[in-house]
């Protein structure tokens, strides 16, 4: 998590990620136009909020479940 107020999640692209998908550098990753051309992303839909933000909700749910488990273990 970021050390800024609210401690938001921050994500980085690791060398292992790049290697796994066959990229040498971050510059090799596709840009928005390339993703749109491949039919993988729509900038208009993204800006309109029609595209879900991936696993963000699932991660939060897992954390809530873990918090509940900890509380249960503490007898709270």
């Amino acid at each position: 998590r970021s050390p800024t107020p609210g401690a938001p999640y921050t994500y980085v692209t690791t060398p292992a990620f790049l290697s796994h998908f066959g990229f040498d550098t971050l510059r090799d990753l596709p840009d928005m136009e390339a993703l749109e051309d491949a039919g993988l992303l729509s900038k208009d839909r993204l800006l309109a909020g029609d595209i879900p933000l991936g696993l963000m909700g699932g991660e939060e749910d897992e954390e809530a479940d873990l918090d509940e488990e900890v509380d249960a273990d503490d007898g709270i």
Side-chain angles (χ1 to χ4, degrees):
R1 290 188 176 245
S2 174
T4 59
Y9 284 106
T10 55
Y11 297 93
V12 297
T13 304
T14 64
F17 172 90
L18 294 172
S19 175
H20 179 80
F21 290 101
F23 298 112
D24 293 323
T25 69
L26 289 175
R27 293 181 191 266
D28 296 332
L29 292 170
D31 59 9
M32 184 68 121
E33 185 176 315
L35 293 172
E36 286 179 329
D37 290 345
L40 298 173
L41 190 61
S42 167
K43 186 176 184 178
D44 294 333
R45 287 186 60 204
L46 182 63
L47 293 175
D50 292 339
I51 298 177
L53 295 176
L55 300 176
M56 294 289 290
E59 290 174 358
E60 290 172 6
D61 291 343
E62 288 175 13
E63 284 184 14
D65 292 343
L66 290 175
D67 289 342
E68 290 173 9
E69 289 176 18
V70 170
D71 291 343
D73 291 342
D74 292 340
I76 299 175

